[in-house]
C-alpha cells in the first residue's frame, strides 16, 4: 500500500477516546519546528487531538511534544498511528521487547554500548540509503546530558523546502531531473575517515543487503507536493552521470546551502521531549558535545514511499 494512504488511514483508526480540549501549536523555528502543547500521550490522544498533531507536522515538518512520560509500548503505539513502523536492521540495539524502537545512546553497560553511539553525526535524512526511506521519525528523550546546568546534545533540523525554494532559477533548472546515489556503505566509510565511526563495521552479508540506491535530487513531498532538496552530506555519494570534480563541487554547494542558518531549527532537548519529524521535508544532525555524560533516546521510524 502507498505509505501516504496508510498514514491517512491511521488518522482515523486506533485512536484513544480521551478528549484533549486545549491544544495549541506554537511555531519555534524559521518555517520548520513547532511545539504542540496540551497533548499527553500517556493519558490518551483522541482522534481530534491526533489530527492537530498531524496537521502541525504537515505545516511545520518538526513537531515537539514536551513533558511526556511514556513507556516504550506507548511510544510505539503513538508512532504507529502515523503509519507502518520499520523494524531496524540494527536490531542489536532494539529496546528490549520492543523491536520497533532503537536505542540511541552513548551509555555503556559492562563496557558494551547499549545503543547506537554515532547516530546523526553527519547531516542526513533517515533511511535515505534505502529504496523507500523513512517518512517520519519519532524520537523520545529519556536522559539528556547537562554540563553546568546547560543541556547538551542538541539536534539541528534544516528545511529541504526552504533550501530548494531559495535556489536561483538557473540552479533549479540545473538540478531538474538529476539523481544522486545514497549509500550506507559510503556513509560508514565517510564517518570512519572523519574518525567519527563508533560501531562495528558491516559484515559482507550486511553490505550485500544494503546496496546503493539513487533518488531524485529534488524530491516532491508525497502529501504536500512541495519540492525539497534531497542530497545529504551523510549518505549522498555522487550524482548519477556526474562523477568526479563537477559532481563533488555541486554536492558541496548544495550541502553548504542546506546549512544556511536561515533554514535551521535547533532543538534543545528536555527529558520527556518527544519529537516527530518529516524526513521528506527536513534533514537533521546531532550535536556531540557531551562526551561521556549519559544521553539516551528511543527512536522509531515510519516507512515511506519511493521518493519522486
Ligand atoms: C538520529 O540522527 O537518528 C539521532 C539524532 C539525535 O540523537 O539527536
Amino acid at each position: 500500500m502507498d505509505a501516504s494512504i496508510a498514514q491517512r488511514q491511521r488518522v482515523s483508526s486506533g485512536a484513544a477516546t480521551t478528549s484533549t480540549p486545549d491544544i495549541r501549536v506554537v511555531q519555534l523555528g524559521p518555517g520548520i519546528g513547532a511545539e504542540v502543547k496540551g497533548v499527553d500521550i500517556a493519558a490518551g490522544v483522541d482522534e481530534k487531538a491526533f489530527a492537530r498533531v498531524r496537521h502541525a507536522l504537515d505545516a511545520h515538518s518538526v513537531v515537539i511534544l514536551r513533558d511526556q512520560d511514556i513507556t516504550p509500548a506507548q511510544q510505539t503505539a503513538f508512532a504507529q498511528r502515523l503509519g507502518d513502523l520499520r523494524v531496524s536492521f540494527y536490531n542489536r540495539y532494539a529496546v528490549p521487547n520492543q523491536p520497533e524502537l532503537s536505542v540511541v545512546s552513548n551509555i555503556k553497560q559492562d563496557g558494551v554500548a547499549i545503543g547506537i553511539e554515532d547516530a546523526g553525526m553527519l547531516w542526513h535524512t533517515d533511511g535515505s540509503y534505502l529504496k523507500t526511506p523513512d517518512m517520519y521519525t519519532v524520537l523520545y528523550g529519556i536522559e539528556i546530558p547537562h554540563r553546568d546546568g546547560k543541556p547538551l546534545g542538541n539536534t539541528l533540523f534544516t528545511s529541504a523546502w526552504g533550501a530548494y525554494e531559495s535556489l536561483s532559477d538557473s540552479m533549479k533548472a540545473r538540478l531538474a531531473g538529476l539523481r544522486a546515489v545514497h549509500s550506507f556503505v559510503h556513509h560508514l566509510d565517510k564517518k570512519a575517515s572523519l574518525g567519527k565511526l563508533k560501531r562495528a563495521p558491516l559484515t559482507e552479508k550486511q553490505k550485500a543487503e544494503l546496496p546503493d540506491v539513487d533518488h531524485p535530487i529534488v524530491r516532491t513531498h508525497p502529501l504536500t507536493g512541495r519540492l525539497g532538496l534531497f542530497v545529504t552530506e551523510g549518505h549522498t555519494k555522487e550524482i548519477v552521470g556526474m562523477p568526479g570534480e563537477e559532481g563533488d563541487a555541486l554536492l558541496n554547494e548544495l550541502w553548504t546551502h542546506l546549512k544556511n542558518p536561515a533554514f535551521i531549527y535547533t532543538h534543545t532537548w528536555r527529558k520527556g521531549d518527544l519529537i516527530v519529524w518529516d524526513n521528506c521535508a527536513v534533514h537533521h544532525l546531532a550535536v556531540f558535545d557531551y562526551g561521556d555524560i549519559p544521553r539516551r533516546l528511543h527512536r522509531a521510524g515510519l516507512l515511506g514511499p519511493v521518493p519522486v
Side-chain angles (χ1 to χ4, degrees), residues 24-211:
R24 278 195 312 127
V25 178
V26 179
Q27 185 171 341
L28 298 173
I32 57 169
E35 180 181 350
V36 180
K37 293 175 181 278
V39 174
D40 179 348
I41 296 173
V45 181
D46 67 15
E47 281 195 24
K48 213 166 147 202
F50 193 74
R52 294 290 303 276
V53 175
R54 283 222 50 129
H55 186 261
L57 188 56
D58 287 348
H60 301 280
S61 310
V62 182
V63 158
I64 293 106
L65 310 178
R66 299 209 106 140
D67 304 315
Q68 303 300 318
D69 185 5
I70 51 173
T71 63
Q74 285 169 328
Q75 181 181 351
T76 302
F78 183 78
Q80 257 164 351
R81 292 173 70 179
L82 289 163
D84 296 323
L85 288 168
R86 184 186 300 290
V87 177
S88 169
F89 62 91
Y90 267 115
N91 53 11
R92 67 176 180 274
Y93 294 131
V95 172
N97 304 317
Q98 208 69 59
E100 307 88 349
L101 298 184
S102 305
V103 181
V104 173
S105 184
N106 60 346
I107 299 172
K108 290 193 166 66
Q109 272 167 6
D110 301 325
V112 179
I114 66 160
I116 308 167
E117 293 180 274
D118 58 7
M121 277 201 179
L122 300 170
W123 281 102
H124 67 291
T125 71
D126 289 330
S128 78
Y129 49 87
L130 300 169
K131 275 206 175 81
T132 54
D134 291 12
M135 176 96 192
Y136 301 115
T137 302
V138 181
L139 190 62
Y140 177 51
I142 297 167
E143 278 185 80
I144 305 304
H146 286 74
R147 187 178 292 120
D148 302 328
K150 182 177 171 278
L152 302 168
N154 289 346
T155 306
L156 275 58
F157 297 90
T158 189
S159 169
W161 300 341
Y164 177 75
E165 287 163 9
S166 64
L167 290 173
S168 65
D169 288 345
S170 61
M171 179 59 94
K172 286 179 182 164
R174 188 175 177 201
L175 297 181
L178 286 182
R179 299 179 70 83
V181 177
H182 295 242
S183 164
F184 195 70
V185 174
H186 170 75
H187 172 68
L188 295 193
D189 288 348
K190 191 165 186 173
K191 263 188 188 159
S193 72
L194 295 169
K196 292 178 176 225
L197 189 66
K198 293 192 175 187
R199 62 179 97 181
L202 293 181
T203 62
E204 289 309 313
K205 183 169 175 290
Q206 283 171 323
K207 282 186 188 172
E209 284 164 1
L210 289 165

Side-chain angles (χ1 to χ4, degrees), residues 73 124 126 165 227-228 239 245 250:
H124 67 291
D126 289 330
E165 287 163 9
L227 301 180
I239 296 177
E245 277 177 27
L250 181 53

Side-chain angles (χ1 to χ4, degrees), residues 13 21 28 119 176 225 259 287:
S13 68
L28 298 173
K259 285 186 257 184
V287 177

